[in-house]
């Protein structure tokens, strides 16, 4: 993962409602650096895509980005080796948008994809669930550490370094 990637996931409302009975403000397990001694990513991560058609979304993603070699046999990868990427798992879809080369048309396509398939977006920095509204994802994008990095890398790296002390 590169520091200049704005990362977010796409999640079906149907799956979230099935698990929580309402739409929570935040999904803690999607927050960056989420740590819970009771949860293990591979074993206990909630599969919101169970009973939902992830293949429909993957077909649309294939029309937007080329397939590239994946580091896992369980994941299909689309995009560019040194740029924007989309990871498609059987139980998750993760976007890594390269903020060094903003592609607002692609972001708009993803928002439309989310609308068409009744999904929500969750930026992995905050875990907040947001409706697929272009202005909202742009706001999240521009508030992200990845975007700030492209504007002033030294300031972001200093802050990250101070947090890791």
């Amino acid at each position: 993962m590169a520091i200049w990637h704005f990362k977010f996931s796409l999640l079906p409302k149907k799956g979230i409602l099935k698990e929580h009975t309402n739409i929570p403000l935040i999904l803690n397990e999607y927050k960056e650096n989420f740590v819970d001694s009771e949860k293990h990513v591979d074993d206990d991560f909630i599969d919101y895509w169970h009973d939902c058609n992830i293949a429909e979304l993957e077909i649309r993603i294939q029309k937007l980005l080329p397939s590239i070699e994946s580091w896992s046999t369980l994941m299909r990868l689309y995009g560019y080796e040194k740029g924007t990427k989309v990871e498609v798992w059987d139980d998750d879809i993760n976007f890594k948008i390269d903020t060094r080369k903003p592609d607002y048309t692609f972001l708009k396509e993803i928002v439309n994809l989310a609308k068409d398939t009744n999904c929500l977006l969750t930026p992995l920095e905050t875990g907040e669930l947001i409706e697929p509204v272009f202005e909202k994802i742009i706001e999240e994008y521009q508030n992200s550490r990845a975007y700030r990095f492209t504007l002033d890398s030294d300031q972001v790296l200093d802050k990250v370094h101070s947090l890791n002390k």
Side-chain angles (χ1 to χ4, degrees):
M1 274 184 288
I3 194 167
W4 54 80
H5 278 142
F6 170 58
K7 299 174 286 256
F8 63 94
S9 291
L10 203 62
L11 298 168
K13 281 186 184 179
K14 176 183 171 184
I16 295 168
L17 288 169
K18 182 178 179 185
E19 184 66 32
H20 299 284
T21 66
N22 64 9
I23 303 293
L25 296 175
I26 293 174
L27 292 175
N28 283 325
E29 65 268 29
Y30 277 87
K31 269 177 123 165
E32 190 172 63
N33 301 322
F34 172 68
V35 177
D36 184 336
S37 61
E38 299 298 313
K39 288 193 180 254
H40 304 284
V41 173
D42 292 335
D43 300 329
D44 296 325
F45 204 76
I46 297 169
D47 180 1
Y48 294 108
W49 285 99
H50 184 77
D51 295 338
C52 296
N53 188 358
I54 210 166
E56 176 187 344
L57 281 90
E58 186 169 6
I59 289 167
R60 290 191 50 189
I61 290 166
Q62 289 172 336
K63 292 177 182 177
L64 298 172
L65 295 171
S67 177
I68 55 177
E69 187 175 340
S70 174
W71 53 267
S72 171
T73 58
L74 302 175
M75 174 186 65
R76 281 91 54 213
L77 192 58
Y78 302 91
Y80 305 96
E81 194 59 44
K82 295 187 180 195
T84 292
K85 296 178 182 131
V86 181
E87 300 173 346
V88 179
W89 302 82
D90 290 338
D91 61 355
D92 215 1
I93 299 179
N94 301 308
F95 294 83
K96 296 176 179 180
I97 308 298
D98 188 342
T99 58
R100 299 170 303 168
K101 301 174 195 161
D103 185 346
Y104 298 111
T105 302
F106 179 70
L107 275 174
K108 189 170 269 192
E109 289 287 338
I110 297 309
V111 167
N112 289 336
L113 173 67
K115 282 181 193 174
D116 294 348
T117 56
N118 202 24
C119 287
L120 297 172
L121 307 164
T122 182
L124 300 185
E125 213 169 306
T126 65
E128 178 185 3
L129 283 166
I130 61 174
E131 290 290 334
V133 175
F134 182 67
E135 292 77 15
K136 182 64 178 160
I137 197 69
I138 290 298
E139 180 182 328
E140 293 289 332
Y141 174 86
Q142 292 176 340
N143 288 326
S144 72
R145 181 176 57 225
Y147 181 75
R148 289 191 314 272
F149 176 81
T150 61
L151 299 177
D152 187 350
S153 59
D154 290 338
Q155 180 184 21
V156 171
L157 291 174
D158 287 346
K159 186 170 183 174
V160 168
H161 178 70
S162 70
L163 292 173
N164 290 327
K165 285 186 177 180

